[in-house]
Amino acid sequence: MQPEPRQNTQPAEPTQPVTPAQPAVPGAASPDASIHNIGYRGYDGQRLGRGYARRSLFAQSLRGGYGLGRSAKSKVMPMILTAIMCLPALIVVAVAVATSEITQQLPMEYREYASFLAPVIGLYLAAMAPQSVSRDLRFGTVPLYFSRPVERVDYVLAKYAGMASALFIFTALPLLVLYAGALLAELDFAEQTSGFLLGLVSVAVLSLLYAGIGLLIAALTPRRGFGVAAIIAVLTISYFAVTTVQTIAYEQGAADAVSWLGLASPTSLVSGFATAFLDGPSTFPGSVTPGAGTGLVYLLVILGLVAGSYAALMARYRKAGL
């Protein structure tokens, strides 16, 4: 009889508990992770800051007002309008040189030149203001500006200053032609210099007012065509409409209403301001001149429109989430 096999009476060794896999910690590197150098380099140059960005945006806006830095097609319209703006000044200079011994003055005053060429100024603003702001809104490039150290106020100020400066050059250039012609005709130096400087003040006020209105209208729509039509309607059509109503009022014997009607058009606003404060000739029907009280209202309305245009532009870009 064979002996029974001995059974193992020792207790089995306890098994180690299996620890479940721990979830990966966010941001923790995997043991198999590796870093690949794909050629990107960090920027270690000078940080130029907001001031440089603001100046660059201003220079870009000013150059864009004449198509500089863009295609040849973009230069055609501003250059043609600039030539049209200066052509009457060249004719006036030719007449002044030919008749200087008789008249001893220019056939046209510096302070009234912009009023006579108001439709051309309106066309220039209608062509250039949408190009300055509408394209950025339409193609969504404005956020790229704000990815740099540029604030909303920097963008609005640079665009406003660029458009106003382009307009000032556009309107001051023919005055410079008139001044050079007056000196060439040997007209009175002190009188011509005083008139020229007052004329520069007049077109500076016009540039600030027109730039604010034009940029605001252009910023309200990303469609360039709509902006062009709206600017022409507000500036050019309103000027002719106000002039027509002023003429009717003057012929009906309501000369006092002529000055107040001038408040309804940006161009007549500047003309009335130049007459009241810069001793310029009146371009209103019947040569009606605004009085001291009316002139003060003209000044307050111009300041209100400039400040209001700037505030509205800030609100427009705030609403767009920029």
Side-chain angles (χ1 to χ4, degrees), residues 15 20 26 41 74 90 100 104 119 140 150-151 162 169 175 185 190 195 204 206 211 251 263 289 301 303:
T15 59
R41 297 174 57 188
S74 301
L90 293 173
S100 60
Q104 289 296 312
V150 177
E151 301 292 339
I169 295 173
L175 300 187
L206 180 144
E251 292 178 351
L263 296 170
T289 302
V301 171
L303 293 176

Side-chain angles (χ1 to χ4, degrees), residues 134-167:
S134 296
R135 292 167 58 89
D136 291 342
L137 292 170
R138 181 179 181 183
F139 297 108
T141 58
V142 176
L144 297 179
Y145 291 111
F146 290 88
S147 65
R148 300 293 187 268
V150 177
E151 301 292 339
R152 182 174 60 252
V153 64
D154 300 324
Y155 182 85
V156 174
L157 280 177
K159 288 293 183 178
Y160 201 136
M163 191 72 255
S165 299
L167 269 173

Side-chain angles (χ1 to χ4, degrees), residues 12-13 25 44 86 97 99 105 111 125 131 135 165 179 212 224-225 228 237 242-243 247-249 254 275-276:
E13 295 182 359
V25 179
D44 54 0
C86 293
V97 171
T99 62
Q105 62 181 0
R111 286 149 288 184
L125 182 65
Q131 180 271 334
R135 292 167 58 89
S165 299
Y179 182 62
R224 183 177 181 181
V228 170
I237 297 179
V242 167
T243 302
T247 303
I248 295 173
T275 303

Side-chain angles (χ1 to χ4, degrees), residues 59-60 73 106 180 189 200 202 208 216 237 247 256-257 266 291 300 302 308:
Q60 179 197 32
K73 183 174 66 174
L106 289 173
F189 176 79
L200 291 181
S202 176
L208 285 174
L216 177 59
I237 297 179
T247 303
D256 294 338
L300 293 176
I302 290 174

Side-chain angles (χ1 to χ4, degrees), residues 26-45:
S30 172
D32 298 331
S34 59
I35 299 176
H36 299 277
N37 183 3
I38 57 178
Y40 287 110
R41 297 174 57 188
Y43 178 76
D44 54 0

Side-chain angles (χ1 to χ4, degrees), residues 5-6 26 31 108 136 147 246 291 293 320:
R6 296 180 60 185
M108 182 179 293
D136 291 342
S147 65
Q246 283 179 322

